[in-house]
C-alpha cells in the first residue's frame, strides 16, 4: 500500500488534465479516446511503451490473426477496410489501429509507465504518477481515470518443478515469433489455449516436432 503526503505530491512535475486520464494505448484505450474526442472532451492517454497497441506489435507471434470475424473486432465509428479478409492478419490489425489513431488525432504520451494511481478523498481527484525511461516523474491530476491496460499485459510463467535444471531454451508465448529457428527440434508446448494451439501448428509448419501438454482432460 502506498501512502501519500505533501512530499510525494511535490516530488514530481504535476499536470492537470481537464478530462479523463486513460492508461493504455491499446484497442480499448484508443476506442475510449475516439469516443471522447467525438464529444469534444479533452483527455490524456498514458502508454508505457513507445507505440500504440504494444502487445500486438511486440509480444505476438508472426502468424497471428484475429480469432473472431472482423465485424466483431472493429472499434467504434471506424469499420475495417472492405478489402480486409474476414480474419485480418496481425499486420492488418496493427495498420487498422494506426489508421484509427490518425483518424481521430489521438496522440498518446509514450514511454510513460504508471507507477501508481490513487483517488484523493480530500480533493476528490485522481493522482496518477508515471516514470519515463530517463527517470523523470510526472503526476497527472484528473477527475476521472480509465484503466485500459488489457488482461494479458503481464506474462505468467508457472513455477514448474525442475524447470531451473532444464538445459534447453524456455520461452513464454509472448516471446515466440516463428517456428523457423526450431526446425528439426523437439519442442514441448505447455497449454492448449489459442496461443498454445497456434504455436504448435506453426512449429509443425516449420518442420519442428512439437508435443502439447494439457492440464485438463
Amino acid at each position: 500500500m502506498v501512502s501519500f503526503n505533501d512530499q510525494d505530491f511535490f516530488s514530481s512535475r504535476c499536470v492537470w488534465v481537464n478530462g479523463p486520464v486513460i492508461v493504455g494505448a491499446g484497442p480499448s484505450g484508443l476506442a475510449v479516446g475516439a469516443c471522447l474526442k467525438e464529444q469534444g472532451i479533452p483527455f490524456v492517454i498514458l502508454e508505457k511503451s513507445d507505440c500504440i497497441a504494444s502487445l500486438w506489435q511486440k509480444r505476438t507471434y508472426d502468424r497471428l490473426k484475429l480469432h473472431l470475424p472482423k465485424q466483431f473486432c472493429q472499434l467504434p465509428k471506424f469499420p475495417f477496410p472492405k478489402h480486409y479478409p474476414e480474419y485480418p492478419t496481425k499486420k492488418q490489425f496493427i495498420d487498422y489501429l494506426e489508421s484509427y489513431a490518425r483518424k481521430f488525432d489521438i496522440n498518446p504520451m509514450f514511454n510513460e509507465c504508471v507507477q501508481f494511481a490513487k483517488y484523493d478523498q480530500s480533493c476528490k481527484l485522481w493522482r496518477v504518477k508515471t516514470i519515463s525511461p530517463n527517470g523523470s516523474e510526472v503526476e497527472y491530476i484528473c477527475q476521472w481515470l480509465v484503466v485500459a491496460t488489457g488482461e494479458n499485459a503481464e506474462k505468467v510463467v508457472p513455477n514448474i518443478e525442475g524447470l531451473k535444471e532444464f538445459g534447453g531454451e524456455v520461452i513464454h508465448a509472448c516471446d515466440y515469433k516463428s517456428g523457423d529457428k526450431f526446425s528439426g527440434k523437439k519442442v514441448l508446448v505447455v497449454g492448449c489455449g489459442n496461443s498454445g494451439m497456434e504455436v504448435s501448428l506453426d512449429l509443425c509448419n516449420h518442420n519442428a516436432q512439437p508435443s502439447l501438454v494439457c492440464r485438463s482432460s
Side-chain angles (χ1 to χ4, degrees), residues 43-205:
F43 61 90
V44 167
I45 297 181
L46 304 176
E47 169 55 49
K48 67 179 180 179
S49 187
D50 59 357
C51 61
I52 66 169
S54 62
L55 294 184
W56 276 87
Q57 297 213 50
K58 298 186 176 185
R59 300 177 64 183
T60 52
Y61 39 89
D62 296 341
R63 66 166 290 125
L64 180 63
K65 294 183 179 182
L66 289 180
H67 291 157
L68 291 172
K70 63 182 180 181
Q71 63 267 30
F72 298 111
C73 301
Q74 64 189 25
L75 303 189
K77 308 178 186 298
F78 193 66
F80 280 103
K82 290 184 178 180
H83 69 274
Y84 271 29
E86 186 173 16
Y87 296 92
T89 65
K90 167 184 172 178
K91 182 181 185 307
Q92 288 172 327
F93 189 53
I94 292 171
D95 289 345
Y96 166 76
L97 294 177
E98 291 179 337
S99 297
Y100 191 86
R102 289 193 298 270
K103 160 89 173 168
F104 293 99
D105 193 25
I106 299 173
N107 299 291
M109 305 292 291
F110 293 118
N111 297 307
E112 292 279 353
C113 184
V114 173
Q115 299 298 291
F116 57 73
K118 179 177 175 64
Y119 187 70
D120 194 320
Q121 291 286 355
S122 62
C123 57
K124 307 299 182 184
L125 295 171
W126 282 97
R127 300 167 56 175
V128 185
K129 191 170 185 177
T130 68
I131 187 169
S132 63
N134 64 9
S136 62
E137 297 180 345
V138 179
E139 188 158 13
Y140 294 87
I141 313 298
C142 59
Q143 289 182 276
W144 305 281
L145 175 65
V146 178
V147 179
T149 52
E151 62 181 348
N152 299 313
E154 300 297 333
K155 66 181 178 182
V156 178
V157 179
N159 184 19
I160 301 174
E161 185 177 355
L163 188 63
K164 292 182 180 179
E165 288 73 40
F166 176 64
E169 181 182 8
V170 178
I171 64 171
H172 189 272
C174 70
D175 299 315
Y176 178 92
K177 297 302 179 185
S178 166
D180 184 56
K181 72 173 185 176
F182 299 104
S183 178
K185 298 180 180 179
K186 294 181 179 180
V187 182
L188 179 65
V189 180
V190 181
C192 63
N194 289 338
S195 298
M197 298 293 277
E198 274 205 305
V199 166
S200 296
L201 176 59
D202 191 57
L203 287 166
C204 287
N205 291 341

